[in-house]
Structures are given as C-alpha cells and as structure tokens.
Amino acid sequence: MIAAGVLGAGGAFICPSHRNRGEFDALANRLLQGRQSHGRLLLRAGDDAWCLLDLATTPDAIDRIFATARPAHCMGVEVMEPLRAIFGLTRAELLVLSHLTQGEAPKDIGRKMDMSIHTVRAHLRAICMRMGVKGITGALRLSFQLIN
C-alpha cells in the first residue's frame, strides 16, 4: 500500500507526487529496516493546514508501520518561549515564527507586524541560521517537533 500512496490512519493520503513523498519513503525504509522505531513528518495538507504524521513500528508486528495523522496546532509566543532560549531567537524572530505556525505568508506577517517583506525575510534567514535548518519548512518542522 505504501507504494500506491495509501496511508490509512487519520484519513491521510500521500500520493507518489506529494512534495513530502521522498522524505516519507526514506523514513518508511528506515522503519522497515529496523534502523529507527518511530519518526515524525510535518506535512502541508491540501487545505494548507499543517499536520503531523507520526510513524512507528513494534517488535510484535514485523513489516508493519503504524501511522497517526493529526493537525499541528498553531503555537502562540508563550508556548514557543523555550525555542527562543534554545536557539537564541530574538523577540521579533519568535513573533515571525509564531505567525508562520499559524499558516501566514511572509507578506501577511509583514503587514501584521508593520514591517517590510524584506525585514520579514531577514528574520526568516536569521531563524533558519540559528535553528540550523534549510528554509521555512525546516524551521516549522523543528518547531512542531520540539513543541508538540
């Protein structure tokens, strides 16, 4: 079923052309080879909402992967405060990251925070550098993994 793109739990469906399909396949292979017992993926659903897909294996069920899909909850600044301490984010960077978890685009974040898109993008570059990730999705994935 994985090759066909069907993943049963929570109504999730990852087709062969899904943008996270490569990452999903790599995690599924590590699980089936026994190199890892569980893993989590951050996916953008068709309605642009973020969801977390948890995959796990058990010793009792060889060659089976159990999956649960759940919405990734938007995080307020107070919930994300540990990330600020861990990665040394500034208050403005934390606010930008918080807006990102709510699914807002950088242009909308600039409007809400009364700053130019260039300033928002500068904050995004700083966030990615401090967190050691590539791009907005990497920053969001790490944030959701650490907080949720």
Side-chain angles (χ1 to χ4, degrees), residues 28-36:
N29 285 332
R30 287 192 306 271
L31 291 169
L32 290 172
Q33 293 170 1
R35 296 186 317 188
Q36 206 172 323

Side-chain angles (χ1 to χ4, degrees), residues 87 89 124-135 138-139 142:
F87 297 109
L89 300 175
L124 291 172
R125 282 190 299 274
I127 290 167
C128 293
M129 183 189 69
R130 291 174 195 259
M131 294 179 83
V133 296
K134 285 196 216 176
L142 185 56

Side-chain angles (χ1 to χ4, degrees), residues 53-89:
L53 181 64
D54 290 305
L55 302 173
T57 59
T58 63
D60 302 336
I62 300 170
D63 294 336
R64 297 198 189 254
I65 299 174
F66 298 94
T68 57
R70 61 189 165 97
H73 299 289
C74 301
M75 297 183 280
V77 175
E78 59 282 343
V79 174
M80 297 179 70
E81 195 61 38
L83 295 178
R84 183 177 179 194
I86 293 169
F87 297 109
L89 300 175

Side-chain angles (χ1 to χ4, degrees), residues 5-145:
V6 177
L7 185 71
F13 180 81
I14 300 180
C15 66
S17 62
H18 192 279
R19 61 182 160 239
N20 290 88
R21 185 56 194 246
E23 185 181 359
F24 171 78
D25 288 341
L27 176 59
N29 285 332
R30 287 192 306 271
L31 291 169
L32 290 172
Q33 293 170 1
R35 296 186 317 188
Q36 206 172 323
S37 63
H38 63 282
R40 178 178 289 168
L41 295 174
L42 177 67
L43 304 172
R44 193 125 201 201
D47 59 358
D48 280 343
W50 293 103
C51 73
L52 291 169
L53 181 64
D54 290 305
L55 302 173
T57 59
T58 63
D60 302 336
I62 300 170
D63 294 336
R64 297 198 189 254
I65 299 174
F66 298 94
T68 57
R70 61 189 165 97
H73 299 289
C74 301
M75 297 183 280
V77 175
E78 59 282 343
V79 174
M80 297 179 70
E81 195 61 38
L83 295 178
R84 183 177 179 194
I86 293 169
F87 297 109
L89 300 175
T90 66
R91 181 84 175 148
E93 291 165 354
L94 191 64
L95 284 170
V96 169
L97 188 57
S98 175
H99 283 289
L100 282 175
T101 67
Q102 297 169 27
E104 296 177 23
K107 182 171 44 174
D108 298 327
I109 295 170
R111 286 187 194 126
K112 285 189 176 181
M113 294 182 65
D114 194 31
M115 62 177 63
S116 75
I117 185 69
H118 303 293
T119 305
V120 173
R121 296 218 181 270
H123 286 311
L124 291 172
R125 282 190 299 274
I127 290 167
C128 293
M129 183 189 69
R130 291 174 195 259
M131 294 179 83
V133 296
K134 285 196 216 176
I136 293 172
T137 305
L140 287 171
R141 181 177 297 118
L142 185 56
S143 299
F144 283 124
Q145 286 177 343

